[in-house]
Amino acid sequence: MTTPWAISTLGKVCEWITQGPNPKYDKSGQDEFRVLKTKDLYDDVIHYDSADRISKNVFSQHLRTELETGDVLIAIVGQGSINKCNVFEKREGVRFIFTRALGLLRPNRQYLDSYFLKYFLQSSAGKELIDSGIAGTSGQQVVTTTHLKSLQISVPPLSEQHRIVGILDEAFDGLACATANAEQNLRNARALFESHLQSVFMNKMWKMSALGDLCTGVEYGSSAKSKNEGKIPVLRMGNIQDGRFDWGDLVYTDDEAEIVRYQLEHNDVLFNRTNSPELVGKTAIYKSERPAIFAGYLIRIRRRKELLDADYLNYFLNSRIAFDYGKTVVISSVNQANINGTKLKTYPIPTPSLAEQKDIVAELDALVAETQRLESIYQQKLAALAELKKSLLHQAFSGKL
């Protein structure tokens, strides 16, 4: 007969539960003194090497909270990061403290294994208990150490805890390997398409033209203020995703003059002229999904239809070759980059015949469909692996493992 697990609270089976300090940073940080923050903490790994450096003087002010091997760290302040947790292990030659966004749970080794506690906190049962004590606003959520101390946990004998941890470690090692393989396959599928796209536009047999020679002009979008509700959507830079428009997170307009002037036509190609440096230049094609106009950070390219296919242009502007050229003409400021209409018209674009452009588009469309099919398969595998991990944790803490 299985012995029932004892029920306790974390406050009774942990030697210490506390919130981190708020160390003052300075420019004299040293490699051997570090502070762990929420950004360094993940359920599968702690990024020790990325932890911020602090001075010996600052570190010495918080010696009481120096981390020891076996301490369990959990995110208790933040947005969307509450519950992340892992077990700290000392690193040779480096000493660590942690910030007030993290909580420390130091198990009493007579009763509680650190990794058993970690897996409990990562389980659905543990997360539900933690979530029940979340306070604060949606922008800044908080779990108090008082709440952590009150959480009930089933505590089997240490031998049973070690058995469960051993099973979960082995299973999660296998899941981590399978997840890494699926993620690599996902990257490979995307890289294959990017590689083919690159090769298409590097064909030296085709004449190169300036984009301005293939269009009648470029047009900036509406600068009028939009509303949360209205007659038709105003597409913005955030709506451009992977060469198409995402119709979520929309704003609207009722302004008839703006609608007449900026209403989109089928196969309009819109270029994002202002964004962060890594996103400026992303482009999307409008396929008449619904009536819409476009906002001022976008440029409509008025192409000459007898010379330039819209989908071909969209593929080109989303290629690595186009993005690399954009880096040579971009105007940058703090956290923002701009490529104006004049610069856009200088983009050199390979110009096969219109018939060849349409053949290229058909080939790329087929490759996109196959890439999306593979991505869907790998995303499903990743979701299944994540669910399997949840299931194993659930079994472990319901006595069924």
Side-chain angles (χ1 to χ4, degrees):
M1 179 181 294
T2 303
T3 303
W5 292 2
I7 305 295
S8 185
T9 62
L10 290 183
K12 291 180 179 178
V13 291
C14 288
E15 294 178 352
W16 195 28
I17 297 178
T18 189
Q19 186 175 19
N22 190 22
K24 183 178 180 181
Y25 299 97
D26 56 42
K27 296 181 180 180
S28 59
Q30 297 166 250
D31 285 344
E32 62 265 42
F33 302 107
R34 307 283 187 101
V35 55
L36 287 171
K37 304 169 79 172
T38 307
K39 68 178 178 65
D40 308 310
L41 183 66
Y42 293 84
D43 282 351
D44 54 348
V45 67
I46 295 176
H47 292 295
Y48 297 99
D49 293 339
S50 69
D52 291 335
R53 295 162 176 79
I54 55 176
S55 69
K56 182 178 181 179
N57 178 53
V58 170
F59 188 89
S60 65
Q61 295 172 29
H62 303 286
L63 280 177
R64 180 172 174 270
T65 53
E66 182 175 1
L67 288 163
E68 299 178 0
T69 292
D71 287 343
V72 177
L73 289 172
I74 182 169
I76 57 173
V77 178
Q79 181 184 19
S81 58
I82 298 288
N83 287 339
K84 290 196 303 182
C85 70
N86 215 321
V87 178
F88 174 83
E89 294 183 358
K90 280 192 174 181
R91 320 293 281 185
E92 186 175 352
V94 188
R95 299 169 70 181
F96 289 87
I97 57 173
F98 56 104
T99 68
R100 64 184 300 103
L102 299 177
L104 174 147
L105 299 94
R106 183 168 291 166
N108 185 324
R109 306 297 175 81
Q110 296 182 45
Y111 307 109
L112 190 60
D113 178 87
S114 297
Y115 288 90
F116 183 84
L117 173 58
K118 178 193 81 165
Y119 284 137
F120 167 72
L121 295 173
Q122 291 177 354
S123 71
S124 57
K127 288 184 176 182
E128 285 175 9
L129 288 172
I130 295 168
D131 288 348
S132 68
I134 289 179
T137 66
S138 59
Q140 185 80 322
Q141 297 176 320
V142 179
V143 173
T144 66
T145 55
T146 300
H147 179 67
L148 290 178
K149 291 174 183 177
S150 72
L151 297 187
Q152 287 194 331
I153 180 173
S154 297
V155 187
L158 277 174
S159 59
E160 178 66 3
Q161 292 182 41
H162 295 155
R163 184 188 75 85
I164 290 171
V165 167
I167 293 173
L168 291 176
D169 281 348
E170 183 177 358
F172 291 167
D173 283 346
L175 287 176
C177 183
T179 299
N181 288 337
E183 289 174 340
Q184 184 58 54
N185 287 334
L186 185 59
R187 289 192 292 270
N188 289 344
R190 291 169 178 166
L192 177 64
F193 175 76
E194 291 297 330
S195 175
H196 187 75
L197 193 65
Q198 182 95 341
S199 67
V200 165
F201 294 114
M202 289 184 68
N203 190 328
K204 296 182 180 179
M205 296 174 56
W206 297 328
K207 180 183 74 172
M208 298 296 292
S209 303
L211 180 56
D213 295 334
L214 304 176
C215 62
T216 59
V218 294
E219 179 186 7
Y220 289 51
S222 170
S223 59
K225 190 172 181 178
S226 303
K227 304 186 297 182
N228 291 330
E229 296 180 353
K231 186 174 181 180
I232 68 172
V234 181
L235 293 172
R236 301 173 293 170
M237 59 185 180
N239 298 111
I240 295 180
Q241 301 292 336
D242 299 322
R244 292 290 187 269
F245 284 106
D246 179 346
W247 295 86
D249 190 25
L250 293 172
V251 294
Y252 298 85
T253 184
D254 290 319
D255 190 319
E256 291 296 338
E258 295 287 300
I259 292 172
V260 170
R261 181 173 179 180
Y262 297 109
Q263 182 141 12
L264 290 168
E265 300 174 5
H266 188 74
N267 275 345
D268 272 347
V269 175
L270 299 179
F271 177 91
N272 182 197
R273 67 182 179 92
T274 302
N275 208 319
S276 59
E278 67 275 11
L279 293 177
V280 66
K282 63 179 183 172
T283 302
I285 188 167
Y286 174 72
K287 291 293 183 179
S288 300
E289 294 91 339
R290 57 189 290 191
I293 68 170
F294 61 107
Y297 282 153
L298 304 181
I299 297 176
R300 171 160 50 187
I301 301 169
R302 293 289 193 181
R303 64 192 171 85
R304 294 172 62 183
K305 297 179 182 179
E306 73 279 10
L307 297 178
L308 191 56
D309 180 84
D311 291 287
Y312 178 85
L313 173 60
N314 186 46
Y315 276 125
F316 168 73
L317 289 174
N318 281 299
S319 71
R320 178 48 51 195
I321 292 174
F323 274 97
D324 287 344
Y325 179 79
K327 292 176 184 177
T328 69
V329 297
V330 69
I331 300 169
S332 297
S333 58
V334 180
N335 297 325
Q336 194 170 64
N338 178 271
I339 300 173
N340 61 35
T342 300
K343 300 289 187 182
L344 175 58
K345 289 191 286 186
T346 68
Y347 272 56
I349 178 172
T351 319
S353 69
L354 196 61
E356 288 177 302
Q357 291 178 39
K358 292 184 181 298
D359 288 341
I360 290 167
V361 167
E363 180 184 349
L364 291 174
D365 282 348
L367 189 56
V368 166
E370 177 62 13
T371 302
Q372 290 174 341
R373 186 186 71 83
L374 292 173
E375 286 182 349
S376 177
I377 291 172
Y378 297 134
Q379 293 286 12
Q380 289 173 23
K381 287 183 178 180
L382 289 170
L385 290 167
E387 284 301 314
L388 181 54
K389 183 173 182 177
K390 289 181 183 179
S391 175
L392 287 169
L393 286 169
H394 175 74
Q395 292 177 55
F397 293 99
S398 58
K400 299 176 182 177
L401 193 63

